[in-house]
Amino acid sequence: MTTVQEAADRVAAPRPRGGIAQSVSDSLVVAKRNLIRMTRIPEMIIFGMIQPIMFVVLFTYVFGGSIQVGASTSTQAYREFLMAGIFAQTVTFATAGAGAGIADDMHKGLIDRFRSLPMARGAVLTGRTLADLVQTALTLVVLAVVALLVGWRTHENLGKVLLGFLLLLLLGYAFSWIGALIGLSVRTPEAATSGGLIWLFPLTFISNAFVDANNMPGFLQTIAEWNPFSATVQACRELFGNLPPGFEAPDAWPMQHPVLASVIWSVLILVVFRTLAVRKYRSAV
């Protein structure tokens, strides 16, 4: 009888999974949980879309025609020059939301419950960042439609355009791990939101996102040229065919090889801050 029972237990017991398989499965479960939560709070998605749409409209119609890019001051040239910067700003500003969400889970004790479960240590953070990536992708789709409505156009083949959007999503995913680290390091969601935005404004404005970096003072131009944000913006402009007439890329290596520089920067940020965030999660109390 005992032998029969032991055999039945072995059949009923789940097969042990490897570390990678368990991590992927647990991460997808957490991601699904966060996506369901987003659908139940639609204002999170709606408000996340309003700000970038406002930036598109304001910069296009207020500054368009007043800022020289390359050899042109036309509204259309600036509109096409601007959109890569707006896209990149949108994916990086999602960092604040990622940090606030994790800080809120910490504040409510949800993270402590996850830590008590037999699940992969990094799955909670990976699942959260994957859910944020889905929301960012949705926001980019809506923003691209708005951009098309106000006159933005691409002038390269579909493959290059899709590659540009993939670079944007990679940058956004890498920056979401910075938000995760901030969310684990503060005590309240409000602090995470402030901490997630305070450094993003200088990062995005001391760049080539909204103006030609060639027109900046010497030291600011150097910062802008080596800014990881600028590399992705420049890469997208080239892949979208949105470089204005007479525009000359700066001599700095990231501006001469923006696609490669964008990938290197994004992967480096992802590896460093994922490592730090997972380590912080394991030591959180």
Side-chain angles (χ1 to χ4, degrees):
M1 184 67 179
T2 303
T3 303
V4 173
Q5 183 63 41
E6 289 176 351
D9 291 341
R10 284 196 298 270
V11 172
R15 295 181 179 180
R17 295 177 295 172
I20 296 178
Q22 181 179 1
S23 180
V24 171
S25 177
D26 293 342
S27 297
L28 292 177
V29 169
V30 176
K32 181 179 178 181
R33 172 256 176 189
N34 283 283
L35 289 173
I36 292 174
R37 180 171 178 266
M38 289 178 187
T39 61
R40 293 176 178 173
I41 313 176
E43 55 267 27
M44 292 175 58
I45 301 176
I46 294 172
F47 290 153
M49 294 179 180
I50 291 176
Q51 179 178 307
I53 291 174
M54 289 177 59
F55 271 107
V56 170
V57 175
L58 290 175
F59 273 86
T60 297
Y61 294 107
V62 175
F63 296 104
S66 300
I67 298 178
Q68 180 174 345
V69 287
S72 176
T73 57
S74 74
T75 302
Q76 181 62 23
Y78 183 67
R79 182 183 294 119
E80 294 188 354
F81 177 88
L82 169 71
M83 283 314 306
I86 295 293
F87 288 145
Q89 184 192 53
T90 300
V91 300
T92 53
F93 270 43
T95 302
I102 290 176
D104 186 51
D105 288 343
M106 289 281 290
H107 185 68
K108 292 178 178 178
L110 185 62
I111 296 294
D112 291 334
R113 298 175 194 172
F114 280 133
R115 282 164 53 83
S116 67
L117 296 175
M119 60 190 302
R121 286 297 189 183
V124 174
L125 302 180
T126 302
R128 175 76 204 198
T129 53
L130 287 175
D132 290 331
L133 180 63
V134 173
Q135 182 178 356
T136 299
L138 177 61
T139 303
L140 272 182
V141 170
V142 174
L143 189 57
V145 172
V146 173
L148 290 171
L149 292 176
V150 300
W152 171 67
R153 296 294 182 269
T154 60
H155 306 284
E156 293 289 353
N157 60 61
L158 180 61
K160 288 187 176 182
V161 173
L162 291 178
L163 177 58
F165 281 107
L166 286 176
L167 290 179
L168 289 167
L169 291 175
L170 178 60
L171 179 72
Y173 186 65
F175 271 61
S176 68
W177 283 99
I178 302 179
L181 180 61
I182 293 174
L184 291 169
S185 303
V186 298
R187 296 183 179 181
T188 64
E190 293 79 11
T193 301
S194 299
L197 288 175
I198 194 170
W199 59 276
L200 280 173
F201 278 102
L203 180 79
T204 54
F205 280 92
I206 306 178
S207 72
N208 61 355
F210 307 112
V211 297
D212 186 349
N214 289 311
N215 298 328
M216 293 182 177
F219 73 99
L220 283 181
Q221 181 177 345
T222 301
I223 295 174
E225 291 169 351
W226 288 89
N227 186 339
F229 183 83
S230 294
T232 300
V233 172
Q234 183 70 9
C236 288
R237 285 188 182 130
E238 290 191 2
L239 294 169
F240 295 159
N242 287 161
L243 294 176
F247 178 84
E248 294 184 5
D251 293 331
W253 186 86
M255 297 296 99
Q256 292 293 322
H257 308 86
V259 175
L260 179 58
S262 174
V263 173
I264 291 174
W265 273 120
S266 295
V267 171
L268 182 62
I269 293 169
L270 174 60
V271 170
V272 170
F273 283 93
R274 187 186 189 282
T275 302
L276 294 175
V278 172
R279 184 178 301 172
K280 183 71 176 179
Y281 172 79
R282 287 174 175 173
S283 62
V285 294

PDB file of all heavy atoms in Angstrom, residues 28-45:
ATOM      1  N   LEU A  28       6.172  36.216 -15.943  1.00  0.00           N
ATOM      2  CA  LEU A  28       4.977  36.379 -16.768  1.00  0.00           C
ATOM      3  C   LEU A  28       3.715  36.438 -15.913  1.00  0.00           C
ATOM      4  O   LEU A  28       2.774  37.168 -16.231  1.00  0.00           O
ATOM      5  CB  LEU A  28       4.880  35.239 -17.777  1.00  0.00           C
ATOM      6  CG  LEU A  28       5.958  35.232 -18.873  1.00  0.00           C
ATOM      7  CD1 LEU A  28       5.807  34.010 -19.775  1.00  0.00           C
ATOM      8  CD2 LEU A  28       5.906  36.510 -19.699  1.00  0.00           C
ATOM      9  N   VAL A  29       3.696  35.675 -14.825  1.00  0.00           N
ATOM     10  CA  VAL A  29       2.542  35.717 -13.916  1.00  0.00           C
ATOM     11  C   VAL A  29       2.413  37.106 -13.288  1.00  0.00           C
ATOM     12  O   VAL A  29       1.316  37.684 -13.227  1.00  0.00           O
ATOM     13  CB  VAL A  29       2.672  34.643 -12.819  1.00  0.00           C
ATOM     14  CG1 VAL A  29       1.618  34.855 -11.731  1.00  0.00           C
ATOM     15  CG2 VAL A  29       2.528  33.252 -13.419  1.00  0.00           C
ATOM     16  N   VAL A  30       3.533  37.656 -12.823  1.00  0.00           N
ATOM     17  CA  VAL A  30       3.510  38.990 -12.221  1.00  0.00           C
ATOM     18  C   VAL A  30       3.144  40.040 -13.268  1.00  0.00           C
ATOM     19  O   VAL A  30       2.390  40.981 -12.995  1.00  0.00           O
ATOM     20  CB  VAL A  30       4.871  39.314 -11.574  1.00  0.00           C
ATOM     21  CG1 VAL A  30       4.883  40.740 -11.028  1.00  0.00           C
ATOM     22  CG2 VAL A  30       5.168  38.323 -10.450  1.00  0.00           C
ATOM     23  N   ALA A  31       3.674  39.896 -14.481  1.00  0.00           N
ATOM     24  CA  ALA A  31       3.347  40.841 -15.549  1.00  0.00           C
ATOM     25  C   ALA A  31       1.842  40.817 -15.845  1.00  0.00           C
ATOM     26  O   ALA A  31       1.214  41.870 -16.024  1.00  0.00           O
ATOM     27  CB  ALA A  31       4.143  40.509 -16.809  1.00  0.00           C
ATOM     28  N   LYS A  32       1.268  39.615 -15.883  1.00  0.00           N
ATOM     29  CA  LYS A  32      -0.174  39.485 -16.130  1.00  0.00           C
ATOM     30  C   LYS A  32      -0.958  40.165 -15.023  1.00  0.00           C
ATOM     31  O   LYS A  32      -1.953  40.857 -15.288  1.00  0.00           O
ATOM     32  CB  LYS A  32      -0.552  38.008 -16.206  1.00  0.00           C
ATOM     33  CG  LYS A  32      -2.032  37.775 -16.478  1.00  0.00           C
ATOM     34  CD  LYS A  32      -2.344  36.285 -16.554  1.00  0.00           C
ATOM     35  CE  LYS A  32      -3.837  36.054 -16.773  1.00  0.00           C
ATOM     36  NZ  LYS A  32      -4.165  34.598 -16.831  1.00  0.00           N
ATOM     37  N   ARG A  33      -0.511  40.000 -13.796  1.00  0.00           N
ATOM     38  CA  ARG A  33      -1.194  40.643 -12.666  1.00  0.00           C
ATOM     39  C   ARG A  33      -1.204  42.155 -12.815  1.00  0.00           C
ATOM     40  O   ARG A  33      -2.217  42.827 -12.605  1.00  0.00           O
ATOM     41  CB  ARG A  33      -0.502  40.221 -11.363  1.00  0.00           C
ATOM     42  CG  ARG A  33      -0.992  40.962 -10.122  1.00  0.00           C
ATOM     43  CD  ARG A  33      -0.003  42.018  -9.675  1.00  0.00           C
ATOM     44  NE  ARG A  33      -0.501  42.804  -8.549  1.00  0.00           N
ATOM     45  CZ  ARG A  33       0.087  43.899  -8.086  1.00  0.00           C
ATOM     46  NH1 ARG A  33       1.195  44.334  -8.643  1.00  0.00           N
ATOM     47  NH2 ARG A  33      -0.428  44.568  -7.073  1.00  0.00           N
ATOM     48  N   ASN A  34      -0.062  42.723 -13.231  1.00  0.00           N
ATOM     49  CA  ASN A  34       0.023  44.177 -13.376  1.00  0.00           C
ATOM     50  C   ASN A  34      -0.766  44.677 -14.582  1.00  0.00           C
ATOM     51  O   ASN A  34      -1.349  45.766 -14.539  1.00  0.00           O
ATOM     52  CB  ASN A  34       1.493  44.591 -13.492  1.00  0.00           C
ATOM     53  CG  ASN A  34       2.205  44.582 -12.164  1.00  0.00           C
ATOM     54  OD1 ASN A  34       2.051  45.470 -11.333  1.00  0.00           O
ATOM     55  ND2 ASN A  34       3.008  43.557 -11.929  1.00  0.00           N
ATOM     56  N   LEU A  35      -0.820  43.890 -15.652  1.00  0.00           N
ATOM     57  CA  LEU A  35      -1.602  44.295 -16.818  1.00  0.00           C
ATOM     58  C   LEU A  35      -3.096  44.281 -16.503  1.00  0.00           C
ATOM     59  O   LEU A  35      -3.847  45.171 -16.935  1.00  0.00           O
ATOM     60  CB  LEU A  35      -1.304  43.363 -17.992  1.00  0.00           C
ATOM     61  CG  LEU A  35       0.079  43.526 -18.626  1.00  0.00           C
ATOM     62  CD1 LEU A  35       0.321  42.434 -19.666  1.00  0.00           C
ATOM     63  CD2 LEU A  35       0.230  44.900 -19.263  1.00  0.00           C
ATOM     64  N   ILE A  36      -3.541  43.279 -15.749  1.00  0.00           N
ATOM     65  CA  ILE A  36      -4.951  43.237 -15.335  1.00  0.00           C
ATOM     66  C   ILE A  36      -5.279  44.442 -14.471  1.00  0.00           C
ATOM     67  O   ILE A  36      -6.330  45.074 -14.616  1.00  0.00           O
ATOM     68  CB  ILE A  36      -5.253  41.921 -14.590  1.00  0.00           C
ATOM     69  CG1 ILE A  36      -5.159  40.736 -15.555  1.00  0.00           C
ATOM     70  CG2 ILE A  36      -6.639  41.971 -13.944  1.00  0.00           C
ATOM     71  CD1 ILE A  36      -5.291  39.384 -14.881  1.00  0.00           C
ATOM     72  N   ARG A  37      -4.346  44.797 -13.593  1.00  0.00           N
ATOM     73  CA  ARG A  37      -4.548  45.969 -12.723  1.00  0.00           C
ATOM     74  C   ARG A  37      -4.668  47.237 -13.559  1.00  0.00           C
ATOM     75  O   ARG A  37      -5.490  48.116 -13.262  1.00  0.00           O
ATOM     76  CB  ARG A  37      -3.381  46.081 -11.738  1.00  0.00           C
ATOM     77  CG  ARG A  37      -3.467  47.259 -10.785  1.00  0.00           C
ATOM     78  CD  ARG A  37      -2.395  47.154  -9.721  1.00  0.00           C
ATOM     79  NE  ARG A  37      -2.411  48.290  -8.821  1.00  0.00           N
ATOM     80  CZ  ARG A  37      -1.652  49.372  -8.983  1.00  0.00           C
ATOM     81  NH1 ARG A  37      -0.813  49.444 -10.021  1.00  0.00           N
ATOM     82  NH2 ARG A  37      -1.713  50.371  -8.130  1.00  0.00           N
ATOM     83  N   MET A  38      -3.868  47.351 -14.616  1.00  0.00           N
ATOM     84  CA  MET A  38      -3.935  48.542 -15.473  1.00  0.00           C
ATOM     85  C   MET A  38      -5.288  48.643 -16.166  1.00  0.00           C
ATOM     86  O   MET A  38      -5.851  49.734 -16.298  1.00  0.00           O
ATOM     87  CB  MET A  38      -2.822  48.491 -16.516  1.00  0.00           C
ATOM     88  CG  MET A  38      -1.427  48.718 -15.975  1.00  0.00           C
ATOM     89  SD  MET A  38      -0.177  48.582 -17.284  1.00  0.00           S
ATOM     90  CE  MET A  38       1.340  48.679 -16.309  1.00  0.00           C
ATOM     91  N   THR A  39      -5.816  47.513 -16.626  1.00  0.00           N
ATOM     92  CA  THR A  39      -7.107  47.548 -17.316  1.00  0.00           C
ATOM     93  C   THR A  39      -8.239  47.931 -16.373  1.00  0.00           C
ATOM     94  O   THR A  39      -9.254  48.483 -16.816  1.00  0.00           O
ATOM     95  CB  THR A  39      -7.419  46.178 -17.951  1.00  0.00           C
ATOM     96  OG1 THR A  39      -7.479  45.172 -16.917  1.00  0.00           O
ATOM     97  CG2 THR A  39      -6.352  45.803 -18.961  1.00  0.00           C
ATOM     98  N   ARG A  40      -8.064  47.663 -15.094  1.00  0.00           N
ATOM     99  CA  ARG A  40      -9.095  48.016 -14.119  1.00  0.00           C
ATOM    100  C   ARG A  40      -8.974  49.453 -13.646  1.00  0.00           C
ATOM    101  O   ARG A  40      -9.883  49.968 -12.986  1.00  0.00           O
ATOM    102  CB  ARG A  40      -9.023  47.054 -12.930  1.00  0.00           C
ATOM    103  CG  ARG A  40      -9.416  45.614 -13.312  1.00  0.00           C
ATOM    104  CD  ARG A  40      -9.244  44.654 -12.155  1.00  0.00           C
ATOM    105  NE  ARG A  40      -9.681  43.309 -12.540  1.00  0.00           N
ATOM    106  CZ  ARG A  40      -9.514  42.239 -11.770  1.00  0.00           C
ATOM    107  NH1 ARG A  40      -8.930  42.345 -10.575  1.00  0.00           N
ATOM    108  NH2 ARG A  40      -9.932  41.049 -12.181  1.00  0.00           N
ATOM    109  N   ILE A  41      -7.840  50.076 -13.962  1.00  0.00           N
ATOM    110  CA  ILE A  41      -7.653  51.497 -13.618  1.00  0.00           C
ATOM    111  C   ILE A  41      -7.267  52.206 -14.919  1.00  0.00           C
ATOM    112  O   ILE A  41      -6.106  52.596 -15.116  1.00  0.00           O
ATOM    113  CB  ILE A  41      -6.571  51.689 -12.540  1.00  0.00           C
ATOM    114  CG1 ILE A  41      -6.779  50.713 -11.374  1.00  0.00           C
ATOM    115  CG2 ILE A  41      -6.582  53.121 -12.007  1.00  0.00           C
ATOM    116  CD1 ILE A  41      -5.705  50.779 -10.317  1.00  0.00           C
ATOM    117  N   PRO A  42      -8.191  52.383 -15.853  1.00  0.00           N
ATOM    118  CA  PRO A  42      -7.848  52.928 -17.181  1.00  0.00           C
ATOM    119  C   PRO A  42      -7.293  54.339 -17.136  1.00  0.00           C
ATOM    120  O   PRO A  42      -6.590  54.761 -18.055  1.00  0.00           O
ATOM    121  CB  PRO A  42      -9.188  52.870 -17.932  1.00  0.00           C
ATOM    122  CG  PRO A  42     -10.234  52.821 -16.864  1.00  0.00           C
ATOM    123  CD  PRO A  42      -9.627  52.077 -15.729  1.00  0.00           C
ATOM    124  N   GLU A  43      -7.617  55.094 -16.066  1.00  0.00           N
ATOM    125  CA  GLU A  43      -7.088  56.462 -15.997  1.00  0.00           C
ATOM    126  C   GLU A  43      -5.568  56.484 -15.924  1.00  0.00           C
ATOM    127  O   GLU A  43      -4.934  57.473 -16.306  1.00  0.00           O
ATOM    128  CB  GLU A  43      -7.672  57.216 -14.810  1.00  0.00           C
ATOM    129  CG  GLU A  43      -7.509  56.550 -13.458  1.00  0.00           C
ATOM    130  CD  GLU A  43      -8.694  55.684 -13.076  1.00  0.00           C
ATOM    131  OE1 GLU A  43      -9.381  55.185 -13.984  1.00  0.00           O
ATOM    132  OE2 GLU A  43      -8.933  55.512 -11.867  1.00  0.00           O
ATOM    133  N   MET A  44      -4.960  55.394 -15.432  1.00  0.00           N
ATOM    134  CA  MET A  44      -3.500  55.308 -15.430  1.00  0.00           C
ATOM    135  C   MET A  44      -2.952  55.401 -16.851  1.00  0.00           C
ATOM    136  O   MET A  44      -1.967  56.104 -17.118  1.00  0.00           O
ATOM    137  CB  MET A  44      -3.048  53.995 -14.790  1.00  0.00           C
ATOM    138  CG  MET A  44      -3.314  53.877 -13.311  1.00  0.00           C
ATOM    139  SD  MET A  44      -2.879  52.220 -12.685  1.00  0.00           S
ATOM    140  CE  MET A  44      -1.140  52.129 -13.143  1.00  0.00           C
ATOM    141  N   ILE A  45      -3.604  54.697 -17.779  1.00  0.00           N
ATOM    142  CA  ILE A  45      -3.158  54.702 -19.167  1.00  0.00           C
ATOM    143  C   ILE A  45      -3.504  56.023 -19.844  1.00  0.00           C
ATOM    144  O   ILE A  45      -2.695  56.613 -20.565  1.00  0.00           O
ATOM    145  CB  ILE A  45      -3.789  53.530 -19.930  1.00  0.00           C
ATOM    146  CG1 ILE A  45      -3.391  52.197 -19.269  1.00  0.00           C
ATOM    147  CG2 ILE A  45      -3.380  53.548 -21.395  1.00  0.00           C
ATOM    148  CD1 ILE A  45      -4.056  50.986 -19.894  1.00  0.00           C
TER     149      ILE A  45
END
